[in-house]
C-alpha cells in the first residue's frame, strides 16, 4: 500500500508538476520571447485542429501578454471618462476581442520559423527584442520587434508587436479612437463594435 | 530638365509655406479628440472612406486576382521580376538621396545600380548585396519633402493610388519629374511616335504596375488578416500608412528611434 502511495506521488510529480514547468517562462526578455516562439511553434503545427490552436494560443496569451495594459493603452485619453462599471465592462470585452484577434492572426501561420536575434534595453520598464520571421515561397521575411514590459523583472509581459516598424498596439489605438470619434465621442459605440467583433 | 527642377523648387517652396499643409485640419479639435498619438487629421473623411471602399472593391475584382495569378509563377521568376523593377526604381531613390543631402545613401544606390545593371544582367540578379552593398530603403519625393521639414498635412485617399497626405500627394507629382525611368520612357515613346506629348507613358505605367503587382502578391495574407481582424479597416490602414511614412522619413529601422515611449506612459497612472 505504502509502495503504491509513493508510486502514485512519483506519477503525480511527472504527470502534473513536471509538465507545469513548461509554463515557466524565462525572466530574461530575449529568452522569454524565445520560450514563447517555441511554444507557439508547437501549437501551430499543421496537424493540430483550429479549435486546439485557438484554445492553446489563448491560454498562452493570458500568461505572457499584458492584456490589461494594452486595453488601457488602446483606449487612450478616453479611459479617464469611464466609470468603474464601464471600465470593468470594457476590460471584459477587450480581453475577448484581443484573444480572438490574437489567435486569428497567429492561426494563419503553420510552422513559423522565427529567429530571436537580440534584446535592447530601452529603460528599466521596457526592452525591445528583435526577431525575424523567415520568408517562404509565398511570403517575404518579416522583421518583428517585441516590446517587453519589464517593470516586474521577474515576470516580463509583452505589450506590443512592431512588424516592419509598424506598431500593432498603436494601430489598434487609432482604430478605437476612430470608432469613438465617428460616433460623436460615444464610447458605448466602441463597446458595441467590440461585441460585434467577438460574436461574429 | 532645368525647367523641371525649377518647377520642383517652386512646388517645394509652396509646400513649405502653404496653410493647407498644416499638421491637422482642426476637425479633431472640433470633435474634442483625445487622440494622443499625433495622427494626421482628415482632409475630407467621408469622401476618403467612399474612395477607400471603391479601391477595396477594385482590389477584390482586379488587383488581388492578378496578384494571386502572379504568385502562381515560379519563385525565381517572381524574384527576378522584383529585382528588375526594384533596380529601375532605385534611380528615383538616387535622385532623392541627392536632394536629401544623403550622399552616403546616394553612393550606395548608385553602386548597387551599376553592379546590378551589369553583373546582375539588367538588374535581374542582385550581386551587389553579396558584394557588401546592402539594400537600403526606397526614397521618394514625399520623403524628401519630409526631410526638408514640410508638415504632413491632412490625410486622404486617392482613387486607385490609395492612402496619401497633402505632402505625399505633391510628392507623387514630384516623383514623375524626378524619375529618370519616366524621362526615358516618355521621351522614347514620343520620339518613336508612340502616343504624343500629352499621352506617352505606356511603358512607365507598365513598369509601375509591375511593381504594384509584386508588392500586392507579397502581401496577400497580411492584408487579408488585417481586414479580417480590424474593427475599422479604414482607420487601420490610415494608421499603418502614417507610421510607415514616419519610419521612412526618419530612415530608421529601429523602433526605439521611431516609437516614443511617452505614448505608453499615460497608462501608468
Amino acid at each position: 500500500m505504502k509502495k503504491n502511495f509513493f508510486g502514485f506521488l512519483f506519477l503525480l510529480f511527472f504527470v502534473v508538476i513536471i509538465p507545469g514547468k513548461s509554463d515557466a517562462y524565462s525572466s530574461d526578455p530575449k529568452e522569454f520571447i524565445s520560450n514563447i516562439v517555441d511554444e507557439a511553434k508547437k501549437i501551430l503545427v499543421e496537424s493540430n485542429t483550429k479549435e486546439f490552436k485557438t484554445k492553446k494560443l489563448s491560454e498562452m496569451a493570458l500568461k505572457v501578454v499584458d492584456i490589461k495594459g494594452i486595453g488601457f493603452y488602446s483606449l487612450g485619453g478616453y479611459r479617464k471618462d469611464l466609470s468603474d462599471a464601464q471600465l470593468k465592462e470594457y476590460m471584459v470585452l477587450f480581453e475577448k476581442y484581443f484573444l480572438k484577434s490574437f489567435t486569428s492572426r497567429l492561426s494563419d501561420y503553420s510552422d513559423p520559423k522565427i529567429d530571436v536575434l537580440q534584446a535592447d534595453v530601452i529603460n528599466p520598464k521596457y526592452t525591445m527584442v528583435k526577431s525575424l520571421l523567415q520568408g517562404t515561397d509565398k511570403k517575404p521575411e518579416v522583421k518583428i520587434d517585441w516590446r517587453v514590459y519589464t517593470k516586474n523583472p521577474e515576470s516580463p509581459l509583452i505589450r506590443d508587436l512592431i512588424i516592419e516598424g509598424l506598431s500593432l498596439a498603436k494601430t489598434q489605438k487609432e482604430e478605437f479612437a476612430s470608432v469613438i470619434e465617428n460616433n460623436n465621442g460615444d464610447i458605448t459605440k466602441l463597446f458595441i463594435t467590440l461585441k460585434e467583433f467577438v460574436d461574429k | 530638365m532645368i525647367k523641371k527642377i525649377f518647377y520642383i523648387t517652386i512646388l517645394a517652396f509652396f509646400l513649405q509655406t502653404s496653410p493647407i499643409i498644416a499638421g491637422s485640419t482642426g476637425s479633431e479639435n472640433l470633435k474634442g479628440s483625445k487622440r494622443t498619438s499625433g495622427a494626421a487629421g482628415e482632409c475630407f473623411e467621408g469622401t476618403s472612406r467612399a474612395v477607400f471602399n471603391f479601391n477595396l472593391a477594385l482590389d477584390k475584382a482586379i488587383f488581388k486576382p492578378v496578384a494571386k495569378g502572379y504568385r502562381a509563377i515560379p519563385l525565381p521568376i517572381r524574384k527576378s521580376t522584383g529585382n528588375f523593377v526594384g533596380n529601375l526604381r532605385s534611380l528615383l531613390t538616387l535622385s532623392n538621396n541627392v536632394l536629401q543631402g544623403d550622399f552616403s545613401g546616394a553612393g550606395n544606390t548608385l553602386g548597387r545600380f551599376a553592379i546590378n545593371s551589369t553583373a546582375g544582367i539588367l538588374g535581374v540578379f542582385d550581386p551587389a548585396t553579396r558584394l557588401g552593398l546592402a539594400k537600403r530603403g526606397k526614397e521618394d519625393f514625399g520623403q524628401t519633402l519630409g526631410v526638408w521639414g514640410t508638415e504632413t498635412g491632412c490625410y486622404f485617399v486617392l482613387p486607385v493610388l490609395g492612402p496619401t497626405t497633402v505632402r505625399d500627394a505633391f510628392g507623387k507629382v514630384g516623383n514623375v519629374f524626378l524619375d529618370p525611368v519616366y524621362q526615358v520612357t516618355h521621351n522614347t515613346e514620343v520620339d518613336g511616335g508612340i502616343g504624343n506629348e500629352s499621352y506617352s507613358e505606356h511603358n512607365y505605367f507598365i513598369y509601375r504596375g509591375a511593381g504594384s503587382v509584386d508588392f500586392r502578391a507579397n502581401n496577400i495574407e497580411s492584408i487579408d488578416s488585417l481586414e479580417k481582424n480590424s474593427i475599422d479597416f479604414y482607420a487601420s490602414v490610415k494608421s499603418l500608412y502614417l507610421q510607415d511614412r514616419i519610419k521612412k522619413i526618419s530612415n530608421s529601422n529601429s523602433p526605439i528611434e521611431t516609437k516614443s515611449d511617452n505614448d505608453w506612459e499615460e497608462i501608468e497612472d
Side-chain angles (χ1 to χ4, degrees):
Chain A
M1 180 66 194
K2 207 174 177 182
K3 199 175 167 188
N4 280 350
F5 177 71
F6 281 111
F8 173 73
L9 277 185
F10 185 73
L11 197 66
L12 189 75
F13 182 76
F14 277 96
V15 172
V16 180
I17 301 171
I18 293 287
K21 272 197 165 255
S22 67
D23 285 346
Y25 300 94
S26 170
S27 58
D28 172 70
K30 190 181 165 197
E31 277 296 303
F32 170 67
I33 297 300
S34 293
N35 296 156
I36 294 166
V37 166
D38 290 344
E39 191 176 339
K41 254 189 210 172
K42 283 180 200 156
I43 298 169
L44 290 168
V45 289
E46 219 149 342
S47 52
N48 287 334
T49 63
K50 199 174 177 191
E51 290 72 26
F52 177 83
K53 288 179 189 175
T54 305
K55 183 175 174 282
K56 288 290 171 190
L57 288 172
S58 296
E59 286 169 6
M60 186 178 81
L62 286 167
K63 286 179 219 156
V64 301
V65 180
D66 182 11
I67 298 178
K68 187 180 172 193
I70 298 171
F72 281 1
Y73 173 81
S74 302
L75 213 45
Y78 291 103
R79 174 165 66 100
K80 290 178 180 152
D81 295 344
L82 296 184
S83 66
D84 288 348
Q86 278 181 313
L87 200 56
K88 206 171 161 189
E89 184 189 353
Y90 167 74
M91 283 318 301
V92 170
L93 266 176
F94 181 81
E95 184 176 295
K96 287 181 186 165
Y97 157 80
F98 180 86
L99 291 176
K100 184 170 180 184
S101 169
F102 175 82
T103 55
S104 165
R105 282 175 209 263
L106 279 186
S107 299
D108 292 337
Y109 290 92
S110 58
D111 194 21
K113 291 184 175 56
I114 299 178
D115 300 324
V116 180
L117 306 173
Q118 69 177 79
D120 296 320
V121 178
I122 306 173
N123 57 43
K125 278 193 276 188
Y126 292 108
T127 294
M128 202 69 88
V129 178
K130 290 180 195 294
S131 68
L132 189 71
L133 173 64
Q134 290 177 15
T136 64
D137 277 6
K138 289 182 178 173
K139 298 171 191 170
E141 66 176 27
V142 180
K143 284 182 202 145
I144 304 174
D145 296 296
W146 312 67
R147 178 183 282 274
V148 182
Y149 184 53
T150 50
K151 193 173 181 182
N152 176 0
E154 292 309 309
S155 178
L157 291 168
I158 297 167
R159 275 201 162 167
D160 194 7
L161 281 189
I162 298 161
I163 297 171
E164 290 288 337
L166 311 177
S167 156
L168 290 188
K170 185 167 185 161
T171 305
Q172 190 166 273
K173 184 179 189 177
E174 296 286 341
E175 231 186 325
F176 282 23
S178 172
V179 171
I180 297 167
E181 284 172 17
N182 281 300
N183 288 287
N184 300 315
D186 183 358
I187 208 156
T188 58
K189 290 289 191 296
L190 174 67
F191 292 9
I192 294 166
T193 309
L194 289 177
K195 199 169 180 323
E196 282 169 359
F197 180 89
V198 169
D199 292 341
K200 84 178 172 191
Chain B
M1 187 65 186
I2 290 169
K3 207 161 88 178
K4 279 165 186 166
I5 290 171
F6 173 74
Y7 286 144
I8 289 171
T9 310
I10 294 290
L11 176 74
F13 178 75
F14 168 72
L15 285 172
Q16 303 287 345
T17 54
S18 171
I20 62 164
I21 207 84
S24 103
T25 55
S27 61
E28 288 182 350
N29 296 335
L30 287 173
K31 284 182 176 181
S33 169
K34 294 189 178 173
R35 282 182 183 177
T36 54
S37 54
E42 293 277 353
C43 297
F44 24 76
E45 187 171 349
T47 309
S48 287
R49 280 185 183 267
V51 175
F52 180 78
N53 289 333
F54 167 76
N55 287 349
L56 271 186
L58 206 61
D59 179 66
K60 286 192 169 77
I62 300 171
F63 301 131
K64 192 174 166 186
V66 169
K68 278 186 170 171
Y70 174 74
R71 202 187 252 185
I73 297 170
L75 183 64
I77 299 175
R78 271 190 288 139
K79 205 168 174 190
S80 301
T81 309
N83 285 344
F84 175 75
V85 173
N87 191 51
L88 288 177
R89 170 65 176 76
S90 71
L91 291 170
L92 177 60
T93 296
L94 178 63
S95 311
N96 284 286
N97 285 145
V98 172
L99 287 171
Q100 292 171 25
D102 177 12
F103 297 108
S104 151
N108 179 279
T109 310
L110 186 59
R112 282 182 56 80
F113 179 76
I115 293 168
N116 288 344
S117 300
T118 51
I121 313 172
L122 299 175
V124 169
F125 301 102
D126 180 16
T129 300
R130 283 195 295 279
L131 291 170
L133 284 176
K135 207 182 271 186
R136 295 190 191 174
K138 291 175 186 171
E139 300 291 337
D140 58 51
F141 192 56
Q143 286 165 254
T144 298
L145 291 170
V147 170
W148 288 351
T150 309
E151 292 288 332
T152 311
C154 54
Y155 173 89
F156 62 103
V157 181
L158 287 167
V160 186
L161 298 176
T164 193
T165 59
V166 175
R167 180 182 63 203
D168 291 341
F170 279 102
K172 284 180 199 297
V173 178
N175 284 341
V176 174
F177 289 109
L178 286 170
D179 193 347
V181 178
Y182 174 82
Q183 303 302 331
V184 171
T185 52
H186 174 88
N187 294 340
T188 309
E189 288 188 17
V190 170
D191 294 345
I194 305 164
N196 51 47
E197 276 290 345
S198 57
Y199 183 63
S200 54
E201 285 92 16
H202 310 75
N203 288 327
Y204 182 70
F205 287 128
I206 290 169
Y207 143 73
R208 291 300 302 269
S212 303
V213 170
D214 193 52
F215 171 83
R216 187 67 183 91
N218 280 331
N219 291 283
I220 291 176
E221 286 81 9
S222 44
I223 293 172
D224 283 351
S225 173
L226 183 71
E227 184 174 4
K228 190 171 79 177
N229 293 298
S230 293
I231 55 170
D232 184 346
F233 188 36
Y234 172 88
S236 288
V237 171
K238 176 185 171 186
S239 174
L240 293 171
Y241 175 79
L242 294 172
Q243 287 185 58
D244 187 51
R245 294 305 288 173
I246 290 169
K247 187 189 83 161
K248 284 179 172 159
I249 289 165
S250 69
N251 281 331
S252 172
N253 282 322
S254 166
I256 298 172
E257 289 169 21
T258 55
K259 306 271 175 240
S260 163
D261 277 349
N262 297 342
D263 242 15
W264 286 95
E265 286 305 317
E266 68 185 26
I267 67 168
E268 297 293 332
D269 51 356

